[in-house]
């Protein structure tokens, strides 16, 4: 889906960056939801009975800590994406983005570039 959209907007325009950042926002939101689900599963413990266990031996605390840490990092990244998107909100889509802004937006998008490369390399996971 993204590859079709990317060709619709000329590189270096406000619309190009809006589309790329929106795709990244959606990916991060899905990943945060996945981590939240993983954290909830970790709280259930290995018995899978849905009862909140209070004894540490019954809980996957390492899995919980990892999920929470990952979610925090993803939230920070999502905040950066939202900030970049808010800078583009009131600008015409066909306007050119200045070089300094491009560099900053490209830095924010660097993890999205990596995710897209992995999708191309290993097949998109739907």
């Amino acid at each position: 889906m993204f590859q079709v959209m990317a060709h619709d907007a000329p590189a270096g325009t406000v619309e190009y960056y809006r589309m790329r950042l929106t795709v990244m926002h959606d990916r991060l939101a899905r990943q945060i939801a996945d981590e939240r689900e993983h954290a909830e599963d970790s709280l259930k413990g290995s018995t899978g009975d849905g009862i909140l266990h209070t004894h540490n031996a019954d809980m996957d605390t390492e899995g919980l800590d990892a999920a929470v840490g990952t979610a925090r990092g993803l939230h920070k990244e999502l905040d950066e994406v939202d900030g970049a998107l808010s800078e583009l909100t009131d600008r015409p889509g066909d306007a050119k983005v200045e070089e300094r802004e491009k560099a900053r937006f490209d830095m924010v998008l660097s993890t999205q570039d990596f995710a897209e490369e992995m999708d191309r390399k290993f097949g998109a996971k739907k």
Side-chain angles (χ1 to χ4, degrees):
M1 182 171 117
F2 172 73
Q3 284 75 16
V4 173
M5 291 188 329
H7 295 297
D8 292 343
T13 62
V14 168
E15 187 60 23
Y16 172 81
Y17 282 102
R18 265 191 209 132
M19 287 189 297
R20 300 239 17 245
L21 289 163
T22 299
V23 168
M24 185 173 180
H25 178 278
D26 294 346
R27 178 182 57 82
L28 290 168
R30 283 190 307 275
Q31 287 179 309
I32 290 168
D34 289 347
E35 291 302 322
R36 180 176 289 132
E37 185 178 318
H38 181 73
E40 289 171 0
D41 289 346
S42 294
L43 282 174
K44 291 178 186 174
S46 61
T47 61
D49 57 11
I51 298 170
L52 179 61
H53 298 278
T54 56
H55 192 277
N56 284 342
D58 293 333
M59 295 186 344
D60 176 13
T61 55
E62 289 177 10
L64 176 62
D65 290 344
V68 169
T70 300
R72 282 186 181 142
L74 292 169
H75 271 289
K76 182 178 177 187
E77 198 171 355
L78 185 62
D79 287 344
E80 290 177 18
V81 170
D82 287 343
L85 279 169
S86 71
E87 291 180 40
L88 299 172
T89 299
D90 295 329
R91 295 166 64 179
D94 60 348
K96 290 285 186 187
V97 174
E98 295 178 19
E99 288 302 316
R100 188 173 41 178
E101 288 179 304
K102 278 185 195 179
R104 196 173 70 234
F105 293 151
D106 288 340
M107 185 182 302
V108 171
L109 286 163
S110 64
T111 59
Q112 181 64 21
D113 293 338
F114 177 75
E116 290 169 4
E117 179 62 28
M118 292 300 101
D119 282 349
R120 281 190 292 277
K121 191 170 187 175
F122 299 110
K125 187 177 170 184
K126 301 270 178 186

